[in-house]
Every structure is written in structure tokens, then in C-alpha cells.
Amino acid sequence: MPIAATCACGKKLQVKDELAGKRVRCPNCKQPLTIPANQPAPQPQAPASPLGGGMDDLFEEEGFTQRQGATCPNCTREMKPGAILCIECGFNTQTGEMLAGHQTEAERAILGHSLLDKAQSDMATDDELQRKMQNAGMPWWVLLIMLLCLVGLAVMFVMGVNFIKGDPDEEAAVEQVLHIIS
């Protein structure tokens, strides 16, 4: 069944339904023209309900349904007439507070699993920090150089003290050397 299309220049075209939704060039003005999608035959509409204002189909298409009873202001779930607490989320409609509901064993297991995962990641972080702290400090070769410097200073100190005290045997040897030289 051919599709009727009209170009901006006013030319009326009849194109094959295979071209529905595609762009073609107008044979008259050579401008691009989008062929409209093939529209199905209109179906008879159901009479609109007086409460929906004719939009019931639109709401149902989007997943909304008309609720007759009370609705929880927190989770928008349907509540029984006269109910104060929402059984889905624990919202108290009179006080506006959230109440903690009963947890099943499966929910506790999931919660416990997440706590174990957090503990495992914390332990891994602590191990990494401990490893970094163990490698902190001076390298071994710096400590060796410092030790050698201390030993050298100690030897120089002992030699200086001996020189200042003046060992009698050394003085005699120094006098003999000076006497031989002169």
C-alpha cells in the first residue's frame, strides 16, 4: 500500500511502504524528505472512564494503576484502609517515623556477608600499611657508614688523649729521632 508524502515545495508523492521512516530526495526540488512511518488503521477506542479523564490507557502503559485505598507517602505502596503503619517500608503515617522491620535470616546473612567483606578489605589495608612501615627507615649501608665514622672518631679521640698525656716512652723516641736528624 503506497504512502502519501508531501514535500516542502508542495509536490505530493506516493512512495512504496518499504521506504517508511527513510529519507529520500524530492524529484521536483531535490531536497531531502523524510517519509512518514506507515500508520496502522485506527482502532476503535474504549470509552473513557469518568475517573481517569481518558488517560487510563496512558497510565496503564507507563505502569501506573489507579488505587482505591490509602497509599504510603514514603514508598507509594497501597495500604489497607485505616492502616497506620506501612507493612512494606515501616513508615508510620501518624508520626512520620520509619520503624525498623523484622529481618529474615536471608537478610541477616546478606548483611553479615557485607560486614565480612568490609572487615576483609580493612585487614588488607592494614597489612599494606604495616608492610610500608616495616620498609621505612634508613638503608643498611647508611648505618654501616655511620658506624665506621663512629669507630674512626673513637680511634682519633684515643690517639689525641695519648698525645696530650704524653707517654714517656714516646717522648724519648721522638727526642732520639730529632737528635739523629740534627
Side-chain angles (χ1 to χ4, degrees):
M1 174 175 179
I3 300 173
T6 305
C7 181
C9 68
K11 177 79 172 171
K12 294 185 180 191
L13 306 169
Q14 294 287 329
V15 295
K16 299 176 187 176
D17 39 333
E18 298 143 10
L19 298 175
K22 296 185 180 177
R23 293 177 64 89
V24 296
R25 289 192 182 266
C26 173
N28 191 30
C29 66
K30 306 293 185 213
Q31 292 297 319
L33 169 71
T34 302
I35 306 300
N38 202 0
Q39 308 245 339
Q43 298 184 5
Q45 293 183 352
S49 68
L51 295 176
M55 300 187 84
D56 286 340
D57 292 339
L58 179 62
F59 287 129
E60 286 176 11
E61 183 178 306
E62 292 300 319
F64 296 111
T65 58
Q66 187 175 11
R67 296 193 175 132
Q68 301 295 330
T71 304
C72 174
N74 186 47
C75 67
T76 66
R77 300 282 178 115
E78 194 167 345
M79 296 172 55
K80 292 186 178 184
I84 297 171
L85 291 174
C86 175
I87 61 172
E88 295 294 326
C89 68
F91 185 77
N92 187 331
T93 57
Q94 289 182 343
T95 63
E97 295 176 346
M98 292 287 292
L99 301 176
H102 173 72
Q103 289 183 342
T104 64
E105 288 298 321
E107 290 170 329
R108 283 191 209 130
I110 291 171
L111 179 62
H113 187 65
S114 65
L115 291 176
L116 288 175
D117 289 342
K118 182 180 179 333
Q120 183 181 9
S121 70
D122 289 346
M123 287 173 58
T125 303
D126 291 344
D127 287 344
E128 182 66 28
L129 182 62
Q130 185 70 26
R131 190 173 21 261
K132 286 180 182 178
M133 288 175 59
Q134 284 177 348
N135 293 336
M138 287 189 258
W140 64 270
W141 54 271
V142 173
L143 293 174
L144 181 65
I145 291 173
M146 289 174 60
L147 181 65
L148 291 174
C149 288
L150 284 174
V151 168
L153 284 173
V155 168
M156 288 175 47
F157 178 74
V158 169
M159 289 175 61
V161 168
N162 284 340
F163 183 73
I164 291 173
K165 276 171 103 179
D167 193 11
D169 293 334
E170 284 183 18
E171 286 180 12
V174 169
E175 284 179 16
Q176 285 178 358
V177 169
L178 290 175
H179 185 350
I180 295 173
I181 296 175
S182 35

